[in-house]
Amino acid sequence: MDDRLFRNAMGKFATGVTVITTEVDGEAHGMTANAFMSVSLDPKLVVISIGEKAKMLEKINQSGTFAVNILAAEQQEVSMLFAGQIKEKRETEFDRIQDVPVIKDALANIVCKVYSKQAAGDHTLFIGEVQDIVLREGAPLTFFAGKYGEITERQPV
Ligand code: FAD
């Protein structure tokens, strides 16, 4: 099957946008990801999918912890920065929860320790056991068909 057809089909699934963060040897690393979902309530588990070429893969293998930071509508630049879509180097100040760096002003910071992992083709699925959550009010950044957007509320019927 054609790669483009597969990508286009997956792009029809509208998602939020997260930045995955972790830290190795005192150095924070972030990566934009939309392959994220909730898995289990008891225990509280989530899953992320990290490409084999991403530096994040080895970082999480080393740290055994990561945070999922769900971005707010105003945080498109943050997403672009951690997806390598903004080329110049920028200093980012992180907050910290349970000694894990997290993105400031995200709608949710979800701190996890690796519960299990599964290689799947050219990606690795990390299942994380949730250790802590911080929430904020606001509207989400969205991603659909390769473009950023935000949610507009429907008129009542
Ligand atoms: P790099 O490419 O080195 O880092 C990413 C960027 O973050 C670089 O520009 C780097 O300078 C910056 N950065 C990292 N740490 C810091 C720091 N401490 N301070 C300041 N800047 C820093 N890929 C997946 O594997 N899974 C997904 O689910 C996924 N979803 C995506 C969703 C969207 C909407 C987009 C746009 C991209 C997605 N990607 C996904 C692609 C992924 O974000 C990029 O391939 C990314 O560049 C891979 O990051 P990396 O770990 O290799 O590190």
Side-chain angles (χ1 to χ4, degrees), residues 15-18 27-36 48-57 59 79-94 123 143 148:
T15 67
V17 181
T18 80
E27 207 175 299
H29 185 74
M31 188 198 103
T32 300
N34 64 348
F36 160 69
I48 57 172
S49 177
I50 306 290
E52 65 185 356
K53 294 196 181 121
K55 288 185 200 135
M56 182 56 82
L57 181 60
K59 302 272 184 191
S79 172
M80 293 176 72
L81 177 68
F82 288 103
Q85 295 169 326
I86 293 176
K87 290 300 166 205
E88 83 258 23
K89 258 232 163 302
R90 290 194 189 171
E91 283 300 311
T92 301
E93 209 190 308
F94 296 89
H123 277 59
F143 199 69
Y148 292 105

Side-chain angles (χ1 to χ4, degrees), residues 66-81:
F66 62 88
V68 180
N69 304 272
I70 300 176
L71 297 186
E74 307 75 43
Q75 292 183 305
Q76 181 177 330
E77 263 200 35
V78 178
S79 172
M80 293 176 72
L81 177 68

